[in-house]
Amino acid sequence: MMKPMMRRGIVAATALLLAGCASVPHDAPQVTQLKPAALGLAGTAVVSDRWWDAFGDAQLGRLVDLALTDNPDLAGAIARVRAAQASVEVQHAGQLPQLSADTGLQVERFSEHYIIPPPYGGHVYSVPSLQANLAWDLDLFGRQRTLVAQARSSERAAELDAAAARLMISTAVAQSYAGLVQADRQIEIADRFVTTRQQAVGYVQSRIRHQLATQFEARTAETLLAEAQQAKVRSSQQRELAIHALAALVGRGADFYPQIATPTLSLDHPPQVPAVLPADLLGRRPDLLAGQARIDAAVAGQHVAATDFLPNVNISALAGLASLGLGSFFASGSGQVAGGAALHLPIFEGGRLRAQYRGATADLDRAVASYNSSVVVAVRDTADAITNVRAADAALVQQDRVVGGLRETVRLDAVRTSTGLGSRLDAVDSGFRLLEAEQQRIDAQANAIGQRIKLIAALGGGFDARTTMAANTRDAGL
């Protein structure tokens, strides 16, 4: 360990030489980082990490868990995290003394007219060597410490990138699963369509036999039946595509298709969204946090570039054996020891250091600009998602009213038909319109679910509606 007096001497000598160093340029960052308060990001956020549990479907939870374990894209993100962790270890090792050992055996003919005179000069000898080397960068100005901090910020950014990948994968699974539920429900409606329209075809044909209808009515009924059958084919196709997408998201192939059972997710009761969402929910979005970590890494990079203008002091030492010829290699006089300090002082670098510093400052500006852009886009995406959720809920309310009205119409037509005041064709027609409205209602329900998943993606995760609303009430002093 270096004695305090020696260390003070080196520091003092270094200070005397600082005047001869190249001066750090006055290139300040030109981009200002957006502050949360400037965008209204304030409030109390109550978050739910396993947001998919709010949908109440155990199979959905199982698929998300599988995807977060086996998805190939996520595996790549996790590999990048491991690489960043290794980089931290590499930079940390630079703060520690470095000890190495070298050994060698060289056969050499010595010149008769050089520094080794005859009788050794002009002859061939074996020159063995064995030595241990010690090197230590004193890091007087914190360059190595800053490199470690920069590597740690980059590691944090990689971890957050992986978290962003997890969020993207989990929301993709939920969207595909909602599509599967929608397809299953549409198949049920299509089956009812087919049954009803088969009955209509039979009824029209009966009327034709009694000369109460024409072939035009028959062709119309048959066309409507074909449309119902086609709707079932489209829904079945959509179901298969949703299963394929889910299998791919969990990193599996066709062998996994039969393992996806009929969902229990209900489209009738989508998760509740609070009337007011705290804007600081955005503060846990992994892509925004990763952007902040990259800013921290860029700040550290600028500090590293600044320390390149300062002296660098290294301590080195060696101890070992060396001899001329193998016979005396282990003799007592073959030992050698050396040690000392080296000082590197940048004086003129042809503008290289200034260019590196300007580049590091530009990297910082770029990181801040990228973060600012991400924040603005995140705020817009969240506002859009909230608007779309409200619109989807309002549309669903109206569609519920349409379905309710048509159900009442079907009931009244059935009463009219049974009392002889209406025809069966009127009842069949109103039944058609009800089934179509129910199809549209399923689409509206699936859209309400899908818009909530998009809101979850925009917010960086889920939320507990009841606790979030309670927190808002406490903050308002109500």
Side-chain angles (χ1 to χ4, degrees):
M1 184 63 67
M2 184 185 304
K3 295 182 179 180
M5 183 176 296
M6 182 178 181
R7 180 184 290 272
R8 288 195 296 270
I10 293 175
V11 172
T14 302
L16 292 175
L17 293 170
L18 286 178
C21 293
S23 60
V24 180
H26 300 288
D27 289 48
Q30 300 178 19
V31 181
T32 303
Q33 183 176 351
L34 290 175
K35 301 300 181 183
L39 297 173
L41 303 186
T44 302
V46 181
V47 302
S48 173
D49 292 333
R50 290 185 58 86
W51 54 266
W52 49 88
D53 290 339
F55 289 89
D57 189 309
Q59 181 173 236
L60 172 60
R62 179 177 68 88
L63 291 173
V64 172
D65 290 339
L66 285 173
L68 296 182
T69 303
D70 299 330
N71 185 277
D73 292 336
L74 183 58
I78 294 175
R80 289 190 288 274
V81 172
R82 295 201 306 270
Q85 291 170 341
S87 179
V88 172
E89 295 175 2
V90 168
Q91 296 299 342
H92 178 68
Q95 294 181 294
L96 305 175
Q98 306 296 306
L99 181 64
S100 63
D102 295 303
T103 184
L105 175 62
Q106 181 175 336
V107 178
E108 182 177 352
R109 180 187 184 280
F110 293 97
S111 171
E112 300 178 34
H113 306 290
Y114 194 44
I115 58 175
I116 300 178
Y120 297 103
H123 292 80
V124 176
Y125 289 92
S126 297
V127 183
S129 65
L130 174 64
Q131 63 185 33
N133 307 292
L134 173 68
W136 187 14
D137 184 347
L138 297 184
D139 197 26
L140 296 179
F141 298 99
R143 183 180 190 277
Q144 199 61 43
R145 291 192 298 274
T146 307
L147 284 171
V148 172
Q150 182 183 29
R152 284 176 176 159
S153 295
S154 296
E155 176 193 10
R156 175 64 175 158
E159 291 172 346
L160 290 164
D161 286 340
R166 290 187 181 94
L167 175 63
M168 179 189 69
I169 291 167
S170 62
T171 53
V173 170
Q175 288 282 20
S176 296
Y177 199 78
L180 176 61
V181 177
Q182 180 184 10
D184 279 345
R185 294 287 299 275
Q186 290 289 16
I187 289 173
E188 294 174 6
I189 297 296
D191 282 337
R192 290 166 57 190
F193 261 99
V194 170
T195 300
T196 303
R197 289 182 174 174
Q198 284 174 339
Q199 293 172 350
V201 169
Y203 181 65
V204 170
Q205 289 174 345
S206 175
R207 286 174 58 84
I208 290 175
R209 286 194 296 270
H210 292 86
Q211 298 182 349
L212 298 175
T214 66
Q215 288 298 323
F216 175 78
E217 291 173 302
R219 298 290 84 77
T220 300
E222 291 169 356
T223 300
L224 293 175
L225 173 59
E227 287 180 350
Q229 292 169 332
Q230 187 180 53
K232 181 177 180 179
V233 170
R234 286 197 300 268
S235 297
S236 299
Q237 176 193 20
Q238 191 61 37
R239 186 183 194 282
E240 290 185 15
L241 292 177
I243 290 176
H244 300 170
L246 288 168
L249 285 167
V250 301
R252 300 288 295 275
D255 64 311
F256 192 74
Y257 300 165
Q259 300 182 37
I260 300 178
T262 301
T264 60
L265 172 64
S266 173
L267 295 180
D268 298 320
H269 304 290
Q272 185 180 7
V273 176
V276 178
L277 283 171
D280 69 344
L281 281 171
L282 286 175
R284 47 81 183 267
R285 268 184 60 144
D287 59 333
L288 298 185
L289 295 174
Q292 179 61 62
R294 289 189 172 89
I295 291 175
D296 296 339
V299 169
Q302 188 187 40
H303 289 167
V304 170
T307 60
D308 286 340
F309 290 84
L310 302 174
N312 186 38
V313 180
N314 288 277
I315 298 296
S316 62
L318 66 85
L321 302 172
S323 68
L324 192 59
L326 293 172
S328 57
F329 181 62
F330 292 102
S332 59
S334 297
Q336 61 176 359
V337 178
L343 175 66
H344 173 74
L345 182 65
I347 297 176
F348 178 74
E349 299 282 346
R352 179 178 61 86
L353 297 183
R354 291 177 179 273
Q356 288 180 175
Y357 186 82
R358 286 194 297 270
T361 303
D363 288 341
L364 174 56
D365 281 339
R366 182 171 55 187
V368 172
S370 177
Y371 173 83
N372 290 347
S373 176
S374 297
V375 169
V376 172
V377 170
V379 172
R380 184 198 66 192
D381 287 349
T382 303
D384 288 350
I386 292 174
T387 297
N388 291 336
V389 167
R390 306 301 181 210
D393 288 349
L396 181 56
V397 169
Q398 296 303 320
Q399 190 61 30
D400 284 341
R401 291 176 179 172
V402 172
V403 171
L406 287 172
R407 283 176 178 169
E408 180 64 15
T409 299
V410 169
R411 187 187 69 80
L412 292 175
D413 282 341
V415 173
R416 285 165 54 84
T417 300
S418 65
T419 58
L421 299 176
S423 69
R424 252 188 95 183
L425 281 178
D426 291 336
V428 170
D429 181 64
S430 61
F432 286 164
R433 289 188 289 123
L434 173 59
L435 291 176
E436 289 175 346
E438 288 182 343
Q439 273 194 321
Q440 294 169 0
R441 181 172 181 267
I442 290 173
D443 291 339
Q445 289 175 327
N447 183 50
I449 293 287
Q451 295 302 334
R452 280 164 168 76
I453 296 172
K454 290 180 180 178
L455 176 59
I456 288 169
L459 291 173
F463 45 82
D464 186 316
R466 292 170 297 179
T467 53
T468 300
M469 288 190 291
N472 290 336
T473 302
R474 289 194 302 271
D475 292 343
L478 300 178

